[in-house]
Amino acid sequence: MSRRFEDRQQAGTLLAKKLSGFEGRSDVIVIGLPRGGVPVAYEVAQALDLPLDVLIVRKLGAPGHVEFAIGSLASGGICIVDENLVRSLGVSHEELSEIIEREKAELERRERLYRGGRPPIEVVGKTVIIVDDGLATGSTMRAAVEAIKKMGSKAIVVAVPVCAPSACAELERDVDIWCVCVYAPEAFYAVGLWYDKFDQTSDEEVELLLAKADAGGVSALHYI
């Protein structure tokens, strides 16, 4: 555990260095996954002089164990369910439907809040860098990838400061995906363990960063 990030801002700065080959390209867009992925994505977009947008993704947590993902949702009507996990945990059809409806409502709330009057994401023919603050199981990231594919992207780069090697390997089984990370420790455990400061990102922070990116960007030092 000797290599840790101070916070999401430093993590984004270090991640941007791994992505320097994309700097200033007109065919590339950075997509942050709210909430925690947006501060990281903001730093990447600013460092590489690329546009920033968001894609809403929601984890489908198991009944009584909300942190344990049995699937995920993403903007654009994407719903991924791990049927094997659902069966092994004994999750009923009614329970699963309730979880999906609840998370769908939250996804739609955040979509309205974060997008406001901003137009839909336009990724047709573009290389999309999808950024989160870390990758554990890869469940929500897979939903994001499927959504971006559905929108007509040319290529997808999954970019995270820290990831479980198995999650990255699983994503890269898709030949159209390239996974980039700063650290990929074998003893991964959890994303938050790789940050000194890992406070929950608020809706207000996400809105502020998106507004600043739209306005041309302001140094991250001014929004903490």
Side-chain angles (χ1 to χ4, degrees):
M1 298 298 294
S2 60
R3 296 182 296 179
R4 290 161 57 98
F5 303 107
E6 293 175 9
D7 51 25
R8 291 181 177 90
Q9 287 71 49
Q10 186 203 37
T13 299
L14 293 175
L15 182 58
K17 293 179 180 179
K18 292 277 188 175
L19 298 162
S20 59
F22 296 100
E23 184 172 359
R25 283 178 43 178
S26 60
D27 64 335
V28 179
I29 182 173
V30 177
I31 301 288
L33 301 187
R35 297 182 183 121
V38 174
V40 182
Y42 178 87
E43 297 299 330
V44 170
Q46 292 300 297
L48 302 183
D49 192 24
L50 295 172
L52 172 67
D53 211 323
V54 293
L55 179 75
I56 315 302
V57 182
R58 295 294 298 168
K59 175 168 58 182
L60 301 176
H65 302 279
V66 294
E67 291 304 313
F68 188 77
I70 57 175
S72 51
L73 303 177
S75 298
I78 302 299
C79 179
I80 296 175
V81 175
D82 189 324
E83 299 290 352
N84 291 330
L85 270 180
V86 167
R87 283 193 296 270
S88 66
L89 294 173
V91 180
S92 69
H93 176 74
E94 291 74 18
E95 287 176 313
L96 180 60
S97 295
E98 182 180 330
I99 293 167
I100 290 173
E101 287 305 311
R102 182 175 64 246
E103 294 303 333
K104 183 180 177 183
E106 176 61 14
L107 185 149
E108 291 172 350
R109 182 193 74 83
R110 292 192 185 190
E111 187 81 34
R112 291 190 298 270
L113 182 65
Y114 299 156
R115 301 214 69 78
R118 301 167 75 239
I121 300 173
E122 179 53 68
V123 302
V124 175
K126 292 183 179 293
T127 293
V128 181
I129 302 175
I130 309 176
V131 179
D132 206 352
D133 53 13
L135 192 63
T137 65
S139 173
T140 52
M141 184 60 78
R142 281 194 294 274
V145 166
E146 289 304 314
I148 294 299
K149 279 185 177 181
K150 185 179 176 181
M151 294 175 192
S153 63
K154 178 177 67 176
I156 295 174
V157 178
V158 171
V160 292
V162 62
C163 71
S166 59
C168 190
E170 179 69 25
L171 285 166
E172 287 192 326
R173 288 182 183 177
D174 186 326
V175 297
D176 296 322
I177 298 174
W178 177 29
C179 193
V180 176
C181 62
V182 179
Y183 302 146
E186 289 296 335
F188 178 79
Y189 303 117
V191 173
L193 294 178
W194 298 91
Y195 288 82
D196 291 329
K197 181 182 178 183
F198 197 66
D199 299 341
Q200 186 176 43
T201 304
S202 68
D203 285 337
E204 291 74 20
E205 286 178 272
V206 172
E207 291 181 90
L208 177 60
L209 292 176
L210 292 174
K212 287 185 173 181
D214 285 346
V218 178
S219 170
L221 294 176
H222 299 297
Y223 70 75
I224 296 175

